[in-house]
Amino acid sequence: MSVGEFLKPWIPHLTPYKAGVTLPGLVKLASNENNWGPSPKVVEALKGAAVDVYRYPYKDEEVRSAVAKYAGVSVDNVVLGNGSDELIDLILKAFRGPALSFNPSFSEYRIISQTLGTEFWEVDLLPDFSLPVENFGKIGGKANIIFVATPNNPTGGVVSQKDLVSILKLGKITVVDEAYFEFCGETIVPLIKKHPNLIVLRTLSKAFGLAGLRIGYAVSNPEIIACLMAAKPPFNINYLAAEAALAALADIPYMKKTTGAIIRDRPRLMRGLSECFTAYPSEANFVFADVSPLTAEEAYRFFVGKGFVVRSFGRFPNFGGEYIRVTVGTTDETSGFLKVLDGLRRSRKQRQH
């Protein structure tokens, strides 16, 4: 028997998602996690809930209510997902393609589309990594699902509300991924009533520090939410994730305190990277940089040798340069990373003399 006889023909050609590397003992600045960690209330809630993990999850409605209150919408505007990844998967299962996004952006839009056999298109960003609105709109008119990440991962740039509205007016299912909303403060959620084709994705992985528990949510009109609820598997939010989400959403001041520290430290990281490389403005919890003439892998190995793990992307199709992404860690972690950058800058200056 050959497995290939039974495989869908496109599966052997898929390239799986490549996650940021975790190396024990090193400071991880590779996956846009909140290195300040979750609220102490989350830790206490998890300790108390651990003895009940023999039960199937049953607090989805309670979590939906807490999310709705936080997002300023009604419960019937919210569906929960096992991270944003599952919500992307649900959207692509529920709605017909082709799907469209831009390059570079979050690779799961492409990977999940291709896994499900959905035709997927990309429009290259401009050389400064801003959105070519007119060209994107022309191709978007031929797609059925449009994914727009703002702030964009991995570049950190924001798509203006004006440009988002112009995309929404194409009348396609438009998914605005606000995974980094808490680091920029700009949201399009209030427009779900005016634009019934709008779906907004968010996550508790970043600002709330729950990346290891996998919990995200989508906000949209009740009709779309009902479709996604019908398509999702049962018990998709595990028992501990639900408890953690409730505790995190009950401690918004802690989240604002840690995101505030990250926002304050972000310009420091931007300046430090700019002194050695070409860094790009970011409204997220990371900074994107072109490290050429080094390769991204050379930069990665250099920083690992200094005790820091960054994300190596290398080259993107149709773009020059060699790219890495660096998470804004805690203030102490950022200060340590800046010392490494300063040392690199000084050694380069000495070689030039």
Side-chain angles (χ1 to χ4, degrees):
M1 184 198 84
S2 169
V3 174
E5 296 177 46
F6 306 97
L7 268 181
K8 293 175 179 177
W10 58 85
I11 296 297
H13 306 289
L14 296 175
T15 302
Y17 180 80
K18 183 180 178 182
V21 176
T22 301
L23 296 176
L26 275 64
V27 176
K28 186 182 180 186
L29 303 176
S31 296
N32 305 340
E33 296 150 335
N34 183 341
N35 286 4
W36 292 96
S39 161
K41 293 181 180 179
V42 169
V43 177
E44 288 303 310
L46 290 173
K47 289 177 181 177
V51 295
D52 291 327
V53 294
Y54 65 93
R55 295 194 184 279
Y56 282 107
Y58 63 93
K59 293 191 176 182
D60 279 25
E61 291 308 302
E62 195 175 340
V63 178
R64 287 178 75 198
S65 294
V67 165
K69 181 180 178 182
Y70 172 67
V73 296
S74 300
V75 174
D76 61 0
N77 294 122
V78 175
V79 61
L80 305 177
N82 191 271
S84 296
D85 296 355
E86 185 186 36
L87 295 163
I88 295 165
D89 184 79
L90 287 176
I91 291 164
L92 287 161
K93 285 175 177 174
F95 297 102
R96 292 182 292 108
L100 171 70
S101 188
F102 40 79
N103 168 53
S105 192
F106 186 41
S107 61
E108 281 290 81
Y109 309 141
R110 171 179 48 80
I111 292 169
I112 296 173
S113 294
Q114 292 174 343
T115 301
L116 295 173
T118 297
E119 190 173 1
F120 182 79
W121 305 331
E122 288 179 318
V123 172
D124 289 340
L125 294 177
L126 296 172
D128 65 352
F129 296 107
S130 61
L131 182 68
V133 180
E134 187 174 341
N135 191 33
F136 193 77
K138 285 179 182 177
I139 297 175
K142 301 174 185 177
N144 285 320
I145 308 171
I146 300 174
F147 289 96
V148 180
T150 180
N152 185 38
N153 176 21
T155 63
V158 170
V159 180
S160 72
Q161 188 154 127
K162 178 184 175 183
D163 289 341
L164 289 172
V165 168
S166 72
I167 294 168
L168 282 164
K169 287 180 178 178
L170 296 172
K172 312 296 181 166
I173 296 295
T174 301
V175 184
V176 178
D177 190 339
E178 293 186 349
Y180 301 94
F181 152 68
E182 286 86 0
F183 302 102
C184 76
E186 295 182 18
T187 181
I188 200 168
V189 163
L191 296 187
I192 60 169
K193 291 182 179 179
K194 186 175 182 180
H195 297 279
N197 56 322
L198 171 63
I199 304 173
V200 180
L201 299 183
R202 289 193 186 163
T203 180
L204 275 69
S205 294
K206 310 302 181 184
F208 289 91
L210 302 186
L213 289 170
R214 314 305 303 125
I215 183 161
Y217 61 95
V219 178
S220 189
N221 74 76
E223 184 181 5
I224 284 181
I225 294 300
C227 293
L228 298 179
M229 291 284 285
K232 81 174 185 65
F235 312 122
N236 63 325
I237 302 302
N238 75 68
Y239 185 86
L240 293 179
E243 293 290 344
L246 290 170
L249 290 165
D251 195 3
I252 300 300
Y254 177 86
M255 180 274 289
K256 289 185 175 179
K257 178 182 176 182
T258 61
T259 56
I262 290 167
I263 291 167
R264 286 192 299 274
D265 284 331
R266 184 172 60 202
R268 297 172 60 213
L269 180 60
M270 175 72 186
R271 286 193 297 271
L273 283 166
S274 295
E275 288 175 355
C276 295
F277 310 114
T278 302
Y280 294 86
S282 173
E283 295 295 325
N285 67 335
F286 57 81
V287 177
F288 181 68
D290 176 7
V291 298
S292 57
L294 293 177
T295 67
E297 197 58 29
E298 286 170 341
Y300 169 83
R301 290 197 299 267
F302 170 80
F303 289 120
V304 164
K306 300 295 184 179
F308 295 88
V309 185
V310 302
R311 183 69 181 271
S312 169
F313 287 103
R315 290 184 175 274
F316 290 102
N318 305 320
F319 286 89
E322 288 275 343
Y323 297 95
I324 66 168
R325 189 190 64 203
V326 185
T327 304
V328 183
T330 66
T331 298
D332 286 347
E333 290 168 348
T334 301
S335 295
F337 189 77
L338 290 173
K339 287 181 181 178
V340 172
L341 287 172
D342 187 56
L344 176 62
R345 181 183 61 80
R346 289 173 183 272
S347 65
R348 283 180 170 179
K349 193 172 182 179
Q350 288 173 356
R351 286 198 298 270
Q352 289 171 356
H353 290 297

